[in-house]
Amino acid sequence: MSDRSLSSAWLASWTSRVAETLEAMTDEFERRHGFPPGVNEVRRADSADQAAARTLARDSLVPADMVTFYDSIGEVAWADVGNGCFLDPAADVLLRFKHYGTVDVGAGQRDRGLVIGSNGGGLSYVAGPGGMIHRTRTASLDEPELDRVADDLRQFLELLEGSLTRFVTNGDPGCL
């Protein structure tokens, strides 16, 4: 396993750090905004999430780090961080694949990826076969234009954590 690969221990540490930041944000949210916060959590994986992750792995639909992620984390839902930030449950990723297939992430439609979430503003996150994470430039997945936002899932999660921290500190989540 490389230093960049995900482990359940690294994910537990990331989840703990993020949970503290989310708690600080939601503690002040209603006072600052005048209405209660939405769902802002990193939900632990349950047996249904883990079963869906095994299906994604068995069918070689996602990189190994995504399977590790879904074995520990069921979903990321940050409704009040910027426009929002969402990493969908494995069952939703699988269902979307069954209905819509994969998304072209490379030249000549040889590299295909799966939509794993969104930024809440209409842009989708796509995990490519090599582990890279891309974001669409527009809300459409028909012939999407994508930008690579991270070389791997760990880097992507670190970027999300940084965006959350920035948002709590100064109200700006950055470009994710």
Side-chain angles (χ1 to χ4, degrees), residues 51-89:
R54 285 191 299 276
T55 300
L56 288 168
R58 183 186 66 236
D59 296 341
S60 300
L61 296 173
V62 293
D65 280 348
M66 287 299 307
V67 176
T68 302
F69 173 83
Y70 282 128
D71 197 46
S72 295
I73 296 173
E75 175 179 22
V76 173
W78 298 349
D80 298 311
V81 178
N83 289 329
C85 179
F86 306 93
L87 295 181
D88 299 330

Side-chain angles (χ1 to χ4, degrees), residues 19-39:
E20 287 178 20
T21 307
L22 288 170
E23 185 176 341
M25 179 188 83
T26 56
D27 283 350
E28 293 290 314
F29 191 88
E30 190 166 3
R31 183 187 63 73
R32 293 176 84 193
H33 301 285
F35 56 92
V39 175

Side-chain angles (χ1 to χ4, degrees), residues 70 86-88 93 96 114-120 123-126:
Y70 282 128
F86 306 93
L87 295 181
D88 299 330
V93 172
R96 188 180 302 111
L114 289 181
V115 175
I116 60 167
S118 72
N119 74 348
L123 304 183
S124 296
Y125 298 120
V126 178

